[in-house]
């Protein structure tokens, strides 16, 4: 028979008037999937149809969109817990961020925080589901973009350190098979940000930051206090480095107060900093980063910067060509430390000597603001001015700034948040007496 047969879903086909022969099937008009049904099997119309449409919008994509919307509505990171009295971030003080849009910066920070949180939860979930292929202490994927953002937003007054650390870390992490460990030497007075940058680097390379098993911190006066035990220290240091490299593919070693390390300990680091041919060219080479933190050269750095500022130079115009020759000469000619006479310096095993400039009043003020925000403490402009004046007055500026950071950032401080805030609002004389 000619003509179209009706599908089983249509019980009756209506004949077309004026036509003979087999009946042709008149299909019902297409109906949206979200349309509901009224009485008699007909599509619901009016408010019932709208309600059915809203009910049909339930899909796996909507929870994600709602989550993204909630993240966008949240206040910027660092102001949580402040309520309506929270202080806005001052993102225009530093060079390079003056022309950026605050709304765009806030959106970017929220999206970055959401992405980091999703990656963290996915790592934990995958470790629960596939425990055989998971190592909780394994290093996280390198995040050069996260390191760049942290250095730009959280590090104040150190444009040279920001550029050099980012360039060195990014270039080293992008090497497919590095044949040498990356060695960076930070120089400057205490409180200028050397430990702060080391911590940021660890946080962007490892999930647990400084608490990761792949990160080891050695303080000269704490871990190697007695020179008569230098032979024992050499064995312990070499064993610790070897075990960490066997356990982790990517390792980070931080040696604080490097100018106080015994020459024998510096000699023990030599095999780990020399160039080594990979045993298997096709295998993935391990990555190791050494950070040497030292006050050595801080005086010459301050002297050069001060002279350039007096000559009319702006801080951002100061480059490595102004500091590198004097800094290296100061390190080599120093008689108070054996660091400059060690094989690490003489054989050029240190890749970059990075100077940390002395902080100005505005930089100390920004550091105080960030310290308040990190502890979710309310602050006033007067409190920031008081802290900044106290820090930059006298000859113990760097030690006071280090003390202030330690006080607010320490998780084991005996002072509560409100007590710390009241302490900082005391008159200058009483506050200085407690330092």
């Amino acid at each position: 028979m000619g003509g179209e047969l009706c599908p089983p879903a249509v019980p009756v086909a209506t004949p077309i008037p004026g036509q003979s022969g087999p009946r042709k099937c008149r299909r019902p008009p297409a109906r949206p999937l979200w349309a509901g049904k009224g009485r008699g099997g007909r599509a619901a119309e009016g408010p019932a149809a709208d309600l059915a449409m809203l009910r049909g919008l339930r899909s796996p994509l909507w929870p994600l969109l709602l989550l993204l919307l909630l993240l966008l509505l949240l206040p910027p990171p660092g102001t949580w817990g402040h309520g309506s009295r929270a202080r806005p971030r001052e993102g225009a003080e530093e060079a390079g961020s003056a022309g950026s849009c605050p709304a765009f910066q806030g959106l970017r920070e929220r999206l970055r925080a959401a992405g980091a949180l999703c990656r963290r939860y996915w790592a934990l979930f995958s470790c629960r589901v596939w425990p055989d292929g998971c190592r909780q202490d394994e290093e996280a994927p390198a995040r050069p973009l996260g390191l760049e953002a942290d250095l730009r937003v959280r590090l104040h007054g150190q444009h040279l350190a920001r550029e050099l650390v980012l360039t060195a870390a990014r270039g080293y992490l992008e090497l497919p098979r590095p044949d040498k460990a990356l060695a960076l030497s930070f120089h400057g007075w205490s409180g200028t940000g050397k430990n702060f940058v080391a911590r940021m680097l660890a946080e962007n390379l490892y999930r647990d930051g400084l608490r990761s098993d792949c990160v080891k911190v050695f303080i000269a006066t704490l871990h190697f206090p007695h020179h008569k035990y230098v032979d024992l220290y050499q064995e312990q240091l070499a064993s610790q480095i070897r075990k960490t490299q066997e356990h982790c593919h990517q390792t980070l070693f931080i040696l604080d107060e490097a100018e106080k390390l015994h020459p024998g300990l510096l000699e023990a680091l030599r095999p780990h900093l020399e160039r080594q041919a990979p045993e298997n060219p096709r295998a993935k080479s391990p990555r190791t980063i050494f950070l040497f933190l030292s006050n050595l050269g801080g005086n010459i750095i301050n002297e050069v910067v001060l002279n350039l500022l007096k000559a009319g130079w702006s801080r951002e115009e100061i480059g490595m060509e102004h500091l590198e020759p004097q800094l290296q000469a100061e390190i080599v000619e120093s008689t108070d430390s054996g660091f400059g006479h060690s094989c690490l310096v003489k054989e050029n095993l240190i890749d970059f000597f990075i100077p940390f400039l002395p902080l100005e009043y505005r930089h100390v003020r920004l550091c105080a603001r960030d310290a308040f925000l990190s502890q979710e403490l309310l602050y006033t402009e007067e409190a920031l001015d008081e802290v900044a004046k106290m820090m930059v007055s006298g000859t113990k500026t760097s030690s006071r700034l280090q003390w202030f950071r330690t006080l607010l950032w320490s998780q084991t401080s005996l002072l509560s948040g409100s007590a710390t805030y009241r302490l900082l609002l005391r008159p200058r004389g009483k506050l200085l007496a407690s330092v």
Side-chain angles (χ1 to χ4, degrees), residues 9-22:
V10 182
V12 179
T14 305
I16 300 177
Q19 273 191 340
S20 59

Side-chain angles (χ1 to χ4, degrees), residues 285-331:
S285 302
R287 303 177 188 274
T288 303
I289 300 178
F290 284 89
L291 300 182
F292 298 90
L293 315 184
S294 172
N295 296 336
L296 189 62
N299 292 332
I300 193 63
I301 293 174
N302 296 348
E303 181 180 348
V304 172
V305 172
L306 181 60
N307 292 335
L308 290 176
L309 294 178
K310 288 182 178 180
W313 291 68
S314 67
R315 186 184 185 91
E316 288 71 23
E317 292 176 344
I318 301 176
M320 285 299 297
E321 64 274 9
H322 303 107
L323 291 171
E324 188 173 12
Q326 291 87 341
L327 177 59
Q328 291 190 357
E330 177 74 12
I331 294 174

Side-chain angles (χ1 to χ4, degrees), residues 8 22 43 49 53 55 59 73 113 119 124 143 165 180 188 228 234 239 275 283 293 299 317 328 398 428:
M53 178 182 66
R55 290 176 177 175
S59 64
L73 294 178
R119 287 192 299 269
L124 296 177
R143 298 187 298 140
V165 170
K180 180 188 178 299
K228 60 181 179 180
Q234 287 179 345
S239 175
R275 296 189 180 273
L293 315 184
N299 292 332
E317 292 176 344
Q328 291 190 357
S398 58
R428 184 190 306 178

